[in-house]
Amino acid sequence: MTVAAEERELRDDELNGLELSARLRSIWQTPSGLLGALTSVDHKVVGRRYIVTAFAFLLLGGLLAILMRIQLAGPEKTFLSADKYNQIFTMHGSTMMFLFAVPVMEAFAVYLVPLMVGTRNIAFPRLNAFSYWMFLFGGCFLWISFALNVGPDVGWFAYVPLSSLQYTPTKRPDVWAQMITFTEVAALAVAVEIVVTVFKLRAPGMTLDRIPLFVWAMLVTSFLVMFAMPSIMVASTSLILDRLVNTRFYDSSSGGHPLLWQHLFWFFGHPEVYIIFIPGTGMVSAILATFARRPVIGYPVVILSLIATGFLSFGLWVHHMFVTGLPQLGAGLFTASSMLIAVPSGLQIFCWLATLWDGRPVYRTPLLFVIGFIVIFVLGGLSGVMVASVPIDTQVHDTYFVVAHFHYVLIGGAVFPLIGAVYYWFPKITGRMLSERLGRWNFWLAFVGFNVAFFPMHILGLIGMPRRVYTYTADMDWAHLNLLSSGGAVIFALSFVLLLVNVIMSLRSGTLAGDNPWNASTLEWATSSPPPPQNFDRIPVVKHRDPLWLDNASLPVVAGLSVERREMLVTSLAEAEPQIREASPEPSIWPLLTAIATSVFFIGSIFTPWAVLWGTPPMAVTLIGWFWPSGSKEDEE
Amino acid sequence: MRHTIVRNVAELPTYGYGPRSGPWWGAMGFMALEGMGFAIAIGAYLYLYAVNPSWPIGAAPPDLWPGTAETVIYLLSIIPNQMTNRAAHRQDLAKVRTGLIVMSLIGIGLLVLRGFEFAHLNTRWDNSAYGSIVWLILGLHTTHLATDVGDTVVLTVLMFTRHARPRRFSDVTDNVFYWNFVVLAWLPLYVLLDWVPRL
Ligand code: HEM
Ligand SMILES: [Cu+2]
């Protein structure tokens, strides 16, 4: 760019107040209309869609859970056939894990991380849009298949040889495997975006030890995604190949090995639990600081625990395979490491309790959910330490004890913080508060319903009820506890209905939130609710770990960015020193077209290997369209 | 909130090279996860190797010449690659264009050789688990290679259009960086595919 051109460009230090806002808004806005909606690259638009879609899948997965609980409420019920039940528990597990829990956490990160680090958009916004479309198409693919009676029925971990062609000669396992590919592509894309956003787009002065804990949690999670998900992609690809072109990965008559599947799956599957849980802890830390009215005690301890948990989570996968006949030493080692991982989680819990203790807690709904989380998660951790020991696991493996355990950690560790997060950030995202009165009902219904639904499952497991059975006979004496559990499940489901009602009512007529209704300390509260398309009129400068508690009336900012085109500030990795004024991409239809081409390729390739040939050119064309400069000012620097 | 301007960044450049720039870290991220994919595939290979009493299963080891020829070319390709890198840092458009053309040709040449390598594996994917994993690993790396070559070709064309603006030099250096990774990823795979079955 020539000096003359540079001088002509208007910068944000020459404008003020409303005029500055209006100009930036017109540059950063998503175009209106359908085309606008399809081309949006605004992290808030994409994040909101991601959140809503993930919750839609929670609703669907939850409906399936209720169907299962109806079927199991009494002995020898015929509400669901065995085949339907197989499909339903597989769909429930897969939907919850791959279409709800992981995506919803990433969705919150997509929305919040750029705001919390004080920038205007996520890194690689078009990749972000692409990620959302892939997630949406993958989810629809699974559910449409289910509607067509090709829903997977081999469990959420699709063990071979059951899922091999010989034992399941339908397309059902292929649907499962390819849904994995869709969602992993989506998750990997978001992971890279978050890492780069946190590394390079932080507001000046936000050194590593001033990064909000939620952002730290999402950073660690993103690394887990990057190192865990390739394993499941290798697994799902090899499974499809075995089924489509007769490769022999899992065929023991030709040198293949079924346990290879379990290793590949759990190398991903165990970290997966932490991919769901670590963001939950980030939410807890954010909420706790705000409502205890003091920073979380032991900030460095919490971060080190997060990182330690991340590392350790890759050394545990074999504990899912204790009953496969492992060498003694191996089993011992993995028992030890499984118990070890309780240590960093325990440390974090002590930090949170200390924070509550030392603070002046204000018991609003988000904090209630956090406390619910702590109680439930501790219980889940206890049963976890139990099943980490080989002799106990050998007894309760594949019983309802395990079903109880993982719902305690998944729902306690992730869903409770998540609902707390919904109450906490809803005002930022929509500009309106959720009703506190309904919120309290919501919490108590959820807390009581959850425990009534899942605690009896521990006992059911101990007295011998296996998981994945579609019914049982009356003489087993499992009927009462099952009925109790089903009743609890209904109460728990009602709590979500209440949440939905609360959301709908509050969207219409909730109290207006203002910028910072909770008087919180992090940067997302330094802008309006909902934030304008540019997030901040000027990029904040951070001088403290809790910037808004240091000074909540005036915000130190940098000036000198363009108000004629989309520009963001790139800063250095450790010290967040400003380095580059970098252009940020305009809206584009190409990510959607690329996602469509990729979907055609993926779905085609479970039917014929030739899809690799005819599916590649459209992908190449759309990718070139995506990366080819459009000739706009941003591109021609 | 009231704004207090405490700093002005108007003088900063609008693009940068290497770890200063966002896309470089993006490339790093994708290398990390692709590297992990290769590591997992290697793990699967070694697992199957460990559980089978004979290896390779019912086949001769792959013929050495295609893989070895590739390895030599990969290693030599670092030279023009680095030259392109230097030219991009100097923003020398003519040299960058030549460099990219050379790199595209090398890439296409390697893809052709890769075809021969598949033909000389001496096993099919459906022969045995050995054949399957060998085809999978080679297939993964071929996808990886083809993507990068496609990228290089597009970038080469781009540098001949009016879009060849200064910031594109940064893209060129990222492309160079990525090629180094393609080379690096190949070396362990070469040892694994061509030499481990000869142990
Ligand atoms: C309304 C709340 C829920 C209820 C009532 C519920 C109920 C159940 C039941 C009864 C099973 C066992 C099916 C069987 O083994 O026969 C099950 C399995 C499972 N659930 Fe849930 N669940 C709920 C929420 C969740 C959530 C939020 C998650 C994850 C975040 C989840 C993840 C799973 C997984 C992974 C399985 C294993 C599926 C399989 O065996 O393949 N569930 N659930
Ligand atoms: Cu585990």
Side-chain angles (χ1 to χ4, degrees):
Chain A
M1 175 182 278
T2 63
V3 177
E6 194 143 10
E7 275 167 3
R8 263 185 278 113
E9 192 182 53
L10 197 58
R11 299 295 175 84
D12 61 4
D13 44 358
E14 298 158 60
L15 294 176
N16 258 317
L18 290 180
E19 202 190 346
L20 175 62
S21 290
R23 261 206 105 107
L24 285 168
R25 179 182 288 274
S26 71
I27 297 171
W28 284 88
Q29 205 152 33
T30 293
S32 59
L34 179 65
L35 195 64
L38 297 180
T39 57
S40 180
V41 292
D42 183 339
H43 76 101
K44 297 179 293 300
V45 175
V46 174
R48 227 162 39 209
R49 282 180 194 161
Y50 234 123
I51 295 174
V52 171
T53 312
F55 269 98
F57 284 121
L58 169 69
L59 210 77
L60 290 170
L63 278 176
L64 297 182
I66 294 302
L67 296 183
M68 289 191 285
R69 285 318 319 172
I70 295 176
Q71 167 68 16
L72 295 176
E76 294 179 73
K77 282 200 178 308
T78 50
F79 177 66
L80 298 174
S81 66
D83 175 62
K84 264 279 163 300
Y85 192 88
N86 286 350
Q87 284 189 62
I88 285 179
F89 76 69
T90 305
M91 285 292 294
H92 165 76
S94 307
T95 299
M96 287 300 194
M97 299 301 271
F98 298 108
L99 302 179
F100 161 65
V102 175
V104 83
M105 297 302 177
E106 297 208 310
F108 268 87
V110 164
Y111 193 98
L112 290 170
V113 165
L115 286 162
M116 291 177 108
V117 302
T119 186
R120 288 187 167 151
N121 205 347
I122 197 163
F124 315 123
R126 290 184 179 174
L127 185 64
N128 194 34
F130 171 75
S131 162
Y132 172 72
W133 297 121
M134 288 305 286
F135 162 59
L136 178 70
F137 296 160
C140 291
F141 168 58
L142 179 71
W143 274 81
I144 291 172
S145 304
F146 178 55
L148 300 175
N149 200 26
V150 233
D153 57 353
V154 286
W156 85 279
F157 37 70
Y159 275 0
V160 291
L162 175 62
S163 60
S164 64
L165 194 61
Q166 189 186 352
Y167 294 98
T168 310
T170 61
K171 280 288 164 206
R172 289 173 173 185
D174 298 290
V175 168
W176 179 87
Q178 211 57 313
M179 177 277 291
I180 300 288
T181 316
F182 273 97
T183 53
E184 309 309 71
V185 167
L188 284 167
V190 173
V192 173
E193 296 156 23
I194 296 290
V195 168
V196 178
T197 305
V198 177
F199 277 7
K200 296 301 292 177
L201 298 181
R202 301 196 315 274
M206 186 181 279
T207 48
L208 291 179
D209 60 349
R210 290 180 186 157
I211 298 178
L213 286 170
F214 175 74
V215 175
W216 263 112
M218 288 315 308
L219 181 67
V220 173
T221 306
S222 300
F223 277 108
L224 287 191
V225 169
M226 282 164 54
F227 292 114
M229 300 235 171
S231 181
I232 185 83
M233 294 201 42
V234 170
S236 66
T237 307
S238 54
L239 179 63
I240 292 177
L241 290 173
D242 261 18
R243 298 175 48 88
L244 189 69
V245 294
N246 295 316
T247 55
R248 311 283 182 180
F249 291 103
Y250 305 112
D251 175 0
S252 48
S253 66
S254 307
H257 207 297
L259 279 192
L260 174 61
W261 173 264
Q262 295 197 23
H263 282 294
L264 289 176
F265 186 89
W266 290 115
F267 185 83
F268 143 83
H270 188 83
E272 166 92 339
V273 177
Y274 291 90
I275 289 169
I276 295 170
F277 165 61
I278 291 179
T281 67
M283 293 169 165
V284 167
S285 292
I287 294 173
L288 211 62
T290 298
F291 292 95
R293 312 234 55 77
R294 61 149 298 142
V296 170
I297 291 179
Y299 175 91
V301 179
V302 174
I303 292 171
L304 290 177
S305 315
L306 286 174
I307 297 174
T309 310
F311 273 104
L312 284 174
S313 70
F314 283 98
L316 305 184
W317 81 95
V318 175
H319 67 202
H320 295 270
M321 301 164 60
F322 280 156
V323 298
T324 57
L326 293 169
Q328 279 264 287
L329 180 68
L333 236 87
F334 281 98
T335 297
S337 61
S338 305
M339 300 215 172
L340 201 63
I341 202 165
V343 174
S345 304
L347 277 178
Q348 279 199 72
I349 291 191
F350 284 121
C351 288
W352 292 324
L353 290 179
T355 309
L356 265 183
W357 190 275
D358 191 63
R360 285 167 283 125
V362 184
Y363 289 95
R364 304 291 295 271
T365 309
L367 189 59
L368 292 183
F369 275 96
V370 164
I371 292 170
F373 148 81
I374 294 179
V375 173
I376 297 174
F377 186 73
V378 167
L379 285 172
L382 287 177
S383 57
V385 177
M386 288 166 74
V387 289
S389 118
V390 179
I392 298 184
D393 188 55
T394 310
Q395 284 303 311
V396 299
H397 186 82
D398 265 344
T399 70
Y400 261 85
F401 190 86
V402 171
V403 178
H405 157 67
F406 67 69
H407 284 89
Y408 265 80
V409 280
L410 286 171
I411 297 184
V415 179
F416 270 72
L418 178 72
I419 306 303
V422 170
Y423 276 89
Y424 181 57
W425 278 298
F426 187 86
K428 180 50 63 187
I429 299 176
T430 67
R432 289 179 186 275
M433 310 292 285
L434 283 167
S435 152
E436 188 66 22
R437 197 166 53 86
L438 286 179
R440 277 163 196 280
W441 276 97
N442 184 351
F443 169 72
W444 285 109
L445 279 180
F447 188 76
V448 172
F450 170 80
N451 282 295
V452 174
F454 290 96
F455 196 82
M457 290 186 193
H458 289 112
I459 305 168
L460 280 169
L462 291 176
I463 61 178
M465 179 162 166
R467 68 191 279 201
R468 297 178 170 175
V469 289
Y470 84 106
T471 194
Y472 50 90
T473 53
D475 54 359
M476 292 308 232
D477 274 342
W478 298 337
H480 289 96
L481 285 173
N482 268 307
L483 186 61
L484 184 65
S485 169
S486 296
V490 171
I491 300 176
F492 190 45
L494 279 181
S495 78
F496 285 91
V497 175
L498 212 61
L499 175 62
L500 194 64
V501 171
N502 199 350
V503 164
I504 292 170
M505 281 181 27
S506 303
L507 275 180
R508 288 227 195 99
S509 56
T511 333
L512 288 179
D515 291 5
N516 190 0
W518 311 114
N519 192 10
S521 72
T522 39
L523 285 179
E524 78 272 32
W525 305 101
T527 184
S528 56
S529 312
Q534 70 274 27
N535 286 356
F536 302 94
D537 288 349
R538 292 197 188 89
I539 303 299
V541 172
V542 175
K543 301 179 167 173
H544 189 267
R545 198 179 287 160
D546 294 292
L548 304 195
W549 282 347
L550 185 68
D551 179 353
N552 69 6
S554 97
L555 192 67
V557 290
V558 286
L561 291 185
S562 172
V563 291
E564 290 183 357
R565 53 201 188 76
R566 297 182 171 208
E567 201 167 70
M568 308 208 297
L569 196 56
V570 174
T571 54
S572 65
L573 173 58
E575 296 298 319
E577 264 299 300
Q579 289 178 319
I580 302 174
R581 295 180 289 123
E582 190 159 87
S584 179
E586 302 260 329
S588 161
I589 192 71
W590 290 107
L592 173 60
L593 298 180
T594 310
I596 293 174
T598 314
S599 302
V600 170
F601 176 97
F602 281 177
I603 297 175
S605 59
I606 68 174
F607 293 99
T608 159
W610 297 111
V612 175
L613 273 191
W614 52 253
T616 310
M619 273 168 71
V621 169
T622 49
L623 278 171
I624 292 173
W626 176 339
F627 288 105
W628 198 262
S630 64
S632 65
K633 265 198 271 178
E634 280 77 3
D635 283 325
E636 301 306 323
E637 267 305 305
Chain B
M1 263 190 172
R2 196 158 41 75
H3 286 180
T4 326
I5 297 179
V6 294
R7 176 147 190 186
N8 198 302
V9 293
E11 297 309 315
L12 290 180
T14 56
Y15 59 90
Y17 294 97
R20 292 172 73 88
S21 83
W24 186 87
W25 282 99
M28 264 311 244
F30 281 101
M31 286 183 212
L33 64 92
E34 284 167 26
M36 192 66 200
F38 286 123
I40 294 285
I42 293 173
Y45 182 105
L46 295 176
Y47 183 86
L48 291 169
Y49 176 69
V51 297
N52 277 291
S54 78
W55 196 263
I57 304 171
D63 296 342
L64 274 179
W65 69 266
T68 311
E70 278 177 40
T71 308
V72 172
I73 297 177
Y74 272 122
L75 289 174
L76 290 178
S77 74
I78 305 232
I79 300 166
N81 200 37
Q82 285 312 318
M83 283 165 66
T84 315
N85 194 25
R86 236 171 295 139
H89 275 282
R90 274 186 275 113
Q91 311 215 340
D92 180 341
L93 185 58
K95 285 241 169 71
V96 164
R97 284 175 174 167
T98 327
L100 284 172
I101 292 176
V102 171
M103 290 311 294
S104 302
L105 292 176
I106 292 179
I108 294 168
L110 281 166
L111 278 172
V112 174
L113 255 181
R114 188 49 66 78
F116 283 99
E117 186 170 9
F118 274 112
H120 286 264
L121 281 177
N122 296 331
T123 180
R124 274 169 53 107
W125 61 90
D126 56 359
N127 264 0
S128 68
Y130 164 75
S132 308
I133 189 70
V134 164
W135 276 76
L136 179 76
I137 290 179
L138 205 56
L140 274 180
H141 192 267
T142 308
T143 314
H144 185 62
L145 172 65
T147 318
D148 193 78
V149 173
D151 197 52
T152 309
V153 171
V154 173
L155 196 59
T156 310
V157 175
L158 196 123
M159 291 312 271
F160 278 92
T161 67
R162 70 189 164 83
H163 299 294
R165 308 294 307 235
R167 68 174 301 125
R168 299 287 153 221
F169 288 114
S170 167
D171 297 351
V172 173
T173 58
D174 289 342
N175 190 270
V176 164
F177 184 48
Y178 207 83
W179 180 260
N180 287 338
F181 174 63
V182 174
V183 175
L184 203 68
W186 171 249
L187 300 178
L189 299 183
Y190 167 63
V191 174
L192 187 77
L193 296 181
D194 280 9
W195 292 98
V196 169
R198 294 188 153 76
L199 286 180

